Amino acid sequence: MNDTVFKINLVEDEESLASILKAYLEKEGWSVSIFRTGEEAAKYMHNGVHLWILDIMLPGMSGYELIKKIKNNHSEKPVIFISARDQDLDKIIGLEMGSDDYLAKPFLPKELVIRARKLLHRVYGGGIHENLLVISKYKIDVVRRKVFDDEENSIDLTAKEFDVLLFLVENANVAKSRREILEEVWGKDYVGSDRAVDDVVRRIRKKLGRLSLETVYGSGYRVVS
Ligand code: CA
């Protein structure tokens, strides 16, 4: 699995709802494919999907039939059901069939985003971090420890470069001293020179040219968002 961002297959036949949901999910940095029917979606079980969001009432193949196919092929992929039908019944059947979560229509798109985020965290890890941080058009995938530019090109960073970058981005707009950076990234027992931080910062600047990584005189470094 070398996807740059989480990939979501959204199966929803109501076009306006589908495009609203897609827009909300994409704001999280996720990539969303919309399918109008279960038949169409079933052809894309191998498109590197991380999460399925399924409407139950679909023309033709229902969400129930589709989840059966999904579970037969990729039982580990999480599924969120959305439905406007007899809600309690759908919820029970859906959960029994292996869905991981359920949302009754109408719901706020933001709620779906929150549920999806929780589920992605639970299944794919991420701990206390957000999975994806975005700064100056760079995406930092915290789970996979990768950085991408706005054209999805992966930028090669060493472990130290990544850790320093992450620390500064997580503390965006706050100046961090060389000592703080050393303790965070190299550990409290590090006995070498502060220059190690300067070297890493210089390399980060070179690799991430658009990042605003400032030297704060007398204080250290700061990433400006
Ligand atoms: Ca529907």
Side-chain angles (χ1 to χ4, degrees):
M1 189 165 64
N2 51 14
D3 297 275
T4 60
V5 291
F6 286 123
K7 218 166 154 41
I8 298 174
N9 284 355
L10 170 63
V11 191
E12 170 59 73
D13 58 310
E14 288 167 51
E15 280 191 34
S16 56
L17 178 61
S19 55
I20 289 168
L21 296 180
K22 181 178 158 81
Y24 270 84
L25 294 163
E26 282 180 343
K27 249 190 263 170
E28 298 296 302
W30 302 326
S31 149
V32 181
S33 307
I34 297 178
F35 302 99
R36 311 268 176 231
T37 66
E39 286 83 351
E40 192 193 339
K43 292 182 208 153
Y44 290 89
M45 284 196 197
H46 305 280
N47 72 345
V49 61
H50 296 98
L51 170 68
W52 288 89
I53 298 171
L54 304 185
D55 183 24
I56 293 175
M57 288 288 279
L58 295 165
M61 185 191 289
S62 73
Y64 290 146
E65 292 168 72
L66 183 56
I67 193 175
K68 221 184 280 176
K69 279 187 187 288
I70 292 168
K71 293 291 159 181
N72 285 342
N73 280 273
H74 287 273
S75 56
E76 82 282 10
K77 305 292 180 202
V79 176
I80 298 175
F81 261 143
I82 53 180
S83 169
R85 272 203 330 183
D86 183 337
Q87 295 172 0
D88 289 340
L89 188 62
D90 270 350
K91 182 173 183 175
I92 291 164
I93 297 175
L95 292 172
E96 260 187 351
M97 296 185 84
S99 79
D100 300 271
D101 207 345
Y102 172 88
L103 263 177
K105 290 182 188 173
F107 54 83
L108 296 172
K110 191 71 196 162
E111 186 170 7
L112 178 64
V113 168
I114 291 166
R115 303 275 191 106
R117 194 191 293 140
K118 277 194 180 152
L119 199 46
L120 289 167
H121 272 234
R122 202 177 80 209
V123 176
Y124 301 101
I128 55 163
H129 294 299
E130 288 297 311
N131 283 325
L132 207 68
L133 300 172
V134 179
I135 191 151
S136 304
K137 291 193 174 173
Y138 294 108
K139 285 185 200 156
I140 304 172
D141 185 328
V142 176
V143 177
R144 296 191 186 82
R145 296 178 56 82
K146 285 175 172 244
V147 179
F148 301 93
D149 66 15
D150 54 349
E151 289 172 329
E152 301 293 334
N153 299 309
S154 174
I155 298 165
D156 249 359
L157 295 182
T158 65
K160 285 279 184 289
E161 290 163 6
F162 185 88
D163 288 339
V164 170
L165 174 68
L166 186 59
F167 182 56
L168 290 174
V169 170
E170 283 180 331
N171 294 283
N173 304 312
V174 177
K176 288 289 170 190
S177 69
R178 289 174 179 79
R179 183 45 51 186
E180 284 176 291
I181 297 169
L182 280 175
E183 285 193 359
E184 172 73 19
V185 175
W186 279 260
K188 283 195 171 30
D189 301 332
Y190 178 76
V191 289
S193 147
D194 288 1
R195 292 289 157 215
V197 175
D198 299 335
D199 287 343
V200 168
V201 165
R202 191 167 48 242
R203 296 203 305 263
I204 294 171
R205 281 178 173 151
K206 209 169 185 180
K207 292 178 181 181
L208 280 72
R210 272 175 299 138
L211 185 72
S212 178
L213 202 178
E214 298 176 342
T215 303
V216 183
Y217 185 72
S219 296
Y221 294 105
R222 172 175 61 202
V223 160
V224 181
S225 67

